[in-house]
Amino acid sequence: MKNLWDKSESLKYIKHYKKYNVSNDLALRIYTTHLLGGEKKLVLHGGGNTSVKTNYKNIFGEINKVIYVKGSGWDMSNLTHEGMPGLNINPLLKTLSLKKLNDENMVNYLRSNLIDSKSPNPSVETLLHTYLPHKYVDHTHSNAFLSLVNLKNSKEICKKLFGNKLGIVPYVMPGFMLAKKINEIYSKNPNINCLILMNHGIFTFADDAKEAYDLMIKYVSQAERAINKLKIKKIKQIKNFSTKFNVHEIAPIIRGLLSENKDQKFVINYRLNKHLKYFINGKNVKTYSSKGTATPDHVIRTKQKPLLLNLKQWQSVDLLRDEVASALETYYKNYHQYFKSNKDAKGVDKTELDPLPRVLLVAGLGLVTIGKTIKEAKIAADIYLHTIDIIHKSFSVGGYAPLKSDDLFDMEYWSLEQAKIKKAKKIPSVKMLGWVSEKHLVQLIQGSDCLILPSIHEGYGLPLVEAMACGVTCITSNRHAPPEIVGDSGILVDPYSVTEISDAMIKLGKDEKLRSELSQKALARSKDFSWKATAASLLQLYEKS
């Protein structure tokens, strides 16, 4: 991995943040946090965290020791000083005397020691950063290390590669107990400058921002070189597929089935590249893809397992829909069993999350991810793209052995996450967006059940054609241009009749089969419209006149 430290750039950060009365220590902390967060092989979408210990003058002019740590959920690639809440260190160190501290009390205690009450919640790993005595602490979920720490014999392999230079920490769920465990291991060997956390990631630390960053790049590079020396096992491929539909035709079926619950509407994201194709089309994909996530916090984004679809019923849309519906029903039942067995075994009171998969591997087609927003669907896809690389390399090294379902259950049903669910406010059913960019307009259309355009004077019908090209059904006016554009691929209504418009919306919302049929027709009919065809028609009219 390339070391991107640039002294001139670091000085620019110091100069820039002076305008906000930010110290040099914190400015350099932000700089190296951006360097780490900008490398996708280290962290993704809010993962990882960093900290710096420095001095702070309070309102009485007293100099206190404080720690600035990444705020919970903030992205390391672009955070500012506002995303690095500061806390008084001495009260935090007192927690070392405690034997237990639950998450809710820990979060409350952390907030009570913020130097600015308006700051975001500090990372759940704040105490861990505090207990390590070094000035700068960096934590990432490096792909290379995740390939090593998710092996059957991870501990032995890491010891062989790094000797006693690094501390090795068994898996403990993030929070107070992990902080205590790391303090215990570090205290036994205070000469180390790096900790490897099984099934989790890596920490490096030093009293200089550059040194802590250099150590991260150094150890990650060593791990990468060790993996690259190994012969990566080939995945035996399924050579013949009976696929007759493309992703644009199957996506409405998947999305329709996932969104049958009125309160749950999902957006789909599709990816395909040579690495994905190689992974998904493997004969043993069920074995290596269903083991679990590469790091525990990914379970919140991707669920524990993907849904595998090796579809056979391509001869008709109805049979294909039934096959997908059956696969989803099996996934739901398995998820409910996973929830119930873990809930009963642990004797805890939890609210079951929706049982829908977030990652679907469709043989012969590619990766489909879902989310309640476009952002959620994209995050799930980004994470799984990195996960397949980790899984493949882990299998080659010595067998992929991530955390088991009971540990992943603890993360997925973390009390802090459950609290968010119970407090969540219902999103308004109507949202006025105003102007939308062309890029986001396409994404909004693709994520819609239908386009409703009961226009009284629609001259060209471009919005209808745009929706149809995305396989989205149109409910539109029965006069002027719309009937000529949508043909039998949409539902025509009297633009002055509220009853007709609402009845069409209800009908389309309830009838998944109709929605799927009209979606296919819309996609096919949209091919009749293009700027090239329009130009040819205009030229023909011109020549005739």
Side-chain angles (χ1 to χ4, degrees), residues 502-517:
S502 59
D503 285 349
M505 290 167 65
I506 293 168
K507 181 180 180 182
L508 199 63
K510 287 183 175 180
D511 195 335
E512 164 60 25
K513 184 177 179 182
L514 174 64
R515 199 159 67 239
S516 180
E517 287 176 355

Side-chain angles (χ1 to χ4, degrees), residues 378-427:
K378 285 185 173 181
I379 287 174
D382 289 344
I383 287 173
Y384 207 77
L385 280 170
H386 284 260
T387 299
I388 65 169
D389 179 58
I390 293 164
I391 291 175
H392 189 194
K393 286 175 180 174
S394 292
F395 261 103
S396 297
V397 175
Y400 183 57
L403 291 172
K404 300 200 181 301
S405 66
D406 58 336
D407 286 315
L408 291 176
F409 176 87
D410 289 339
M411 178 59 74
E412 187 176 3
Y413 285 88
W414 200 0
S415 59
L416 298 180
E417 292 297 324
Q418 287 277 296
K420 289 179 187 176
I421 295 168
K422 291 175 181 176
K423 290 179 182 177
K425 295 179 180 178
K426 193 169 182 180
I427 299 171

